[in-house]
PDB file of all heavy atoms in Angstrom:
ATOM      1  N   ALA A  69      21.654   7.215   5.960  1.00 95.00           N
ATOM      2  CA  ALA A  69      22.560   8.366   5.845  1.00 95.00           C
ATOM      3  C   ALA A  69      23.425   8.246   4.594  1.00 95.00           C
ATOM      4  O   ALA A  69      23.653   9.239   3.885  1.00 95.00           O
ATOM      5  CB  ALA A  69      23.429   8.471   7.098  1.00 95.00           C
ATOM      6  N   GLY A  70      23.906   7.046   4.318  1.00 96.00           N
ATOM      7  CA  GLY A  70      24.724   6.830   3.125  1.00 96.00           C
ATOM      8  C   GLY A  70      23.958   7.068   1.842  1.00 96.00           C
ATOM      9  O   GLY A  70      24.473   7.690   0.900  1.00 96.00           O
ATOM     10  N   ALA A  71      22.716   6.591   1.789  1.00 94.00           N
ATOM     11  CA  ALA A  71      21.897   6.800   0.586  1.00 94.00           C
ATOM     12  C   ALA A  71      21.639   8.282   0.362  1.00 94.00           C
ATOM     13  O   ALA A  71      21.725   8.777  -0.770  1.00 94.00           O
ATOM     14  CB  ALA A  71      20.582   6.041   0.717  1.00 94.00           C
ATOM     15  N   GLN A  72      21.357   8.996   1.456  1.00 95.00           N
ATOM     16  CA  GLN A  72      21.100  10.429   1.315  1.00 95.00           C
ATOM     17  C   GLN A  72      22.370  11.180   0.916  1.00 95.00           C
ATOM     18  O   GLN A  72      22.336  12.066   0.068  1.00 95.00           O
ATOM     19  CB  GLN A  72      20.531  11.005   2.614  1.00 95.00           C
ATOM     20  CG  GLN A  72      19.904  12.349   2.440  1.00 95.00           C
ATOM     21  CD  GLN A  72      18.736  12.321   1.477  1.00 95.00           C
ATOM     22  OE1 GLN A  72      17.779  11.587   1.676  1.00 95.00           O
ATOM     23  NE2 GLN A  72      18.822  13.103   0.420  1.00 95.00           N
ATOM     24  N   ALA A  73      23.501  10.799   1.508  1.00 95.00           N
ATOM     25  CA  ALA A  73      24.775  11.433   1.154  1.00 95.00           C
ATOM     26  C   ALA A  73      25.134  11.166  -0.309  1.00 95.00           C
ATOM     27  O   ALA A  73      25.625  12.060  -1.012  1.00 95.00           O
ATOM     28  CB  ALA A  73      25.883  10.927   2.078  1.00 95.00           C
ATOM     29  N   LEU A  74      24.878   9.949  -0.771  1.00 92.00           N
ATOM     30  CA  LEU A  74      25.142   9.614  -2.176  1.00 92.00           C
ATOM     31  C   LEU A  74      24.291  10.465  -3.105  1.00 92.00           C
ATOM     32  O   LEU A  74      24.769  10.976  -4.119  1.00 92.00           O
ATOM     33  CB  LEU A  74      24.881   8.122  -2.411  1.00 92.00           C
ATOM     34  CG  LEU A  74      25.167   7.592  -3.787  1.00 92.00           C
ATOM     35  CD1 LEU A  74      26.660   7.699  -4.100  1.00 92.00           C
ATOM     36  CD2 LEU A  74      24.728   6.144  -3.898  1.00 92.00           C
ATOM     37  N   HIS A  75      23.030  10.652  -2.749  1.00 92.00           N
ATOM     38  CA  HIS A  75      22.149  11.469  -3.587  1.00 92.00           C
ATOM     39  C   HIS A  75      22.610  12.932  -3.603  1.00 92.00           C
ATOM     40  O   HIS A  75      22.653  13.554  -4.670  1.00 92.00           O
ATOM     41  CB  HIS A  75      20.697  11.374  -3.100  1.00 92.00           C
ATOM     42  CG  HIS A  75      19.766  12.154  -3.954  1.00 92.00           C
ATOM     43  ND1 HIS A  75      19.386  11.737  -5.220  1.00 92.00           N
ATOM     44  CD2 HIS A  75      19.157  13.339  -3.762  1.00 92.00           C
ATOM     45  CE1 HIS A  75      18.577  12.638  -5.753  1.00 92.00           C
ATOM     46  NE2 HIS A  75      18.417  13.612  -4.877  1.00 92.00           N
ATOM     47  N   ILE A  76      22.946  13.458  -2.432  1.00 93.00           N
ATOM     48  CA  ILE A  76      23.423  14.844  -2.372  1.00 93.00           C
ATOM     49  C   ILE A  76      24.715  14.991  -3.175  1.00 93.00           C
ATOM     50  O   ILE A  76      24.884  15.943  -3.934  1.00 93.00           O
ATOM     51  CB  ILE A  76      23.630  15.282  -0.903  1.00 93.00           C
ATOM     52  CG1 ILE A  76      22.268  15.373  -0.203  1.00 93.00           C
ATOM     53  CG2 ILE A  76      24.372  16.614  -0.823  1.00 93.00           C
ATOM     54  CD1 ILE A  76      22.359  15.515   1.304  1.00 93.00           C
ATOM     55  N   GLY A  77      25.619  14.025  -3.024  1.00 92.00           N
ATOM     56  CA  GLY A  77      26.855  14.048  -3.798  1.00 92.00           C
ATOM     57  C   GLY A  77      26.598  13.979  -5.286  1.00 92.00           C
ATOM     58  O   GLY A  77      27.235  14.698  -6.075  1.00 92.00           O
ATOM     59  N   ALA A  78      25.643  13.142  -5.686  1.00 91.00           N
ATOM     60  CA  ALA A  78      25.329  13.004  -7.111  1.00 91.00           C
ATOM     61  C   ALA A  78      24.804  14.310  -7.698  1.00 91.00           C
ATOM     62  O   ALA A  78      25.084  14.632  -8.854  1.00 91.00           O
ATOM     63  CB  ALA A  78      24.316  11.886  -7.316  1.00 91.00           C
ATOM     64  N   MET A  79      24.075  15.075  -6.891  1.00 91.00           N
ATOM     65  CA  MET A  79      23.545  16.354  -7.399  1.00 91.00           C
ATOM     66  C   MET A  79      24.667  17.364  -7.627  1.00 91.00           C
ATOM     67  O   MET A  79      24.542  18.237  -8.476  1.00 91.00           O
ATOM     68  CB  MET A  79      22.551  16.952  -6.391  1.00 91.00           C
ATOM     69  CG  MET A  79      21.213  16.273  -6.388  1.00 91.00           C
ATOM     70  SD  MET A  79      19.942  17.207  -5.514  1.00 91.00           S
ATOM     71  CE  MET A  79      20.579  17.273  -3.866  1.00 91.00           C
ATOM     72  N   LEU A  84      28.229  12.372 -12.089  1.00 84.00           N
ATOM     73  CA  LEU A  84      27.008  11.717 -11.615  1.00 84.00           C
ATOM     74  C   LEU A  84      25.774  12.567 -11.906  1.00 84.00           C
ATOM     75  O   LEU A  84      24.721  12.038 -12.281  1.00 84.00           O
ATOM     76  CB  LEU A  84      27.091  11.423 -10.118  1.00 84.00           C
ATOM     77  CG  LEU A  84      27.971  10.255  -9.714  1.00 84.00           C
ATOM     78  CD1 LEU A  84      28.063  10.152  -8.201  1.00 84.00           C
ATOM     79  CD2 LEU A  84      27.425   8.962 -10.299  1.00 84.00           C
ATOM     80  N   LEU A  88      22.691  11.164 -14.156  1.00 85.00           N
ATOM     81  CA  LEU A  88      21.323  11.111 -13.648  1.00 85.00           C
ATOM     82  C   LEU A  88      20.452  12.265 -14.140  1.00 85.00           C
ATOM     83  O   LEU A  88      19.258  12.294 -13.891  1.00 85.00           O
ATOM     84  CB  LEU A  88      21.345  11.110 -12.114  1.00 85.00           C
ATOM     85  CG  LEU A  88      21.994   9.895 -11.465  1.00 85.00           C
ATOM     86  CD1 LEU A  88      22.117  10.103  -9.955  1.00 85.00           C
ATOM     87  CD2 LEU A  88      21.211   8.635 -11.768  1.00 85.00           C
TER      88      LEU A  88
END
Side-chain angles (χ1 to χ4, degrees):
Q72 196 61 57
L74 183 64
H75 182 74
I76 292 168
M79 284 194 298
L84 284 175
L88 296 172

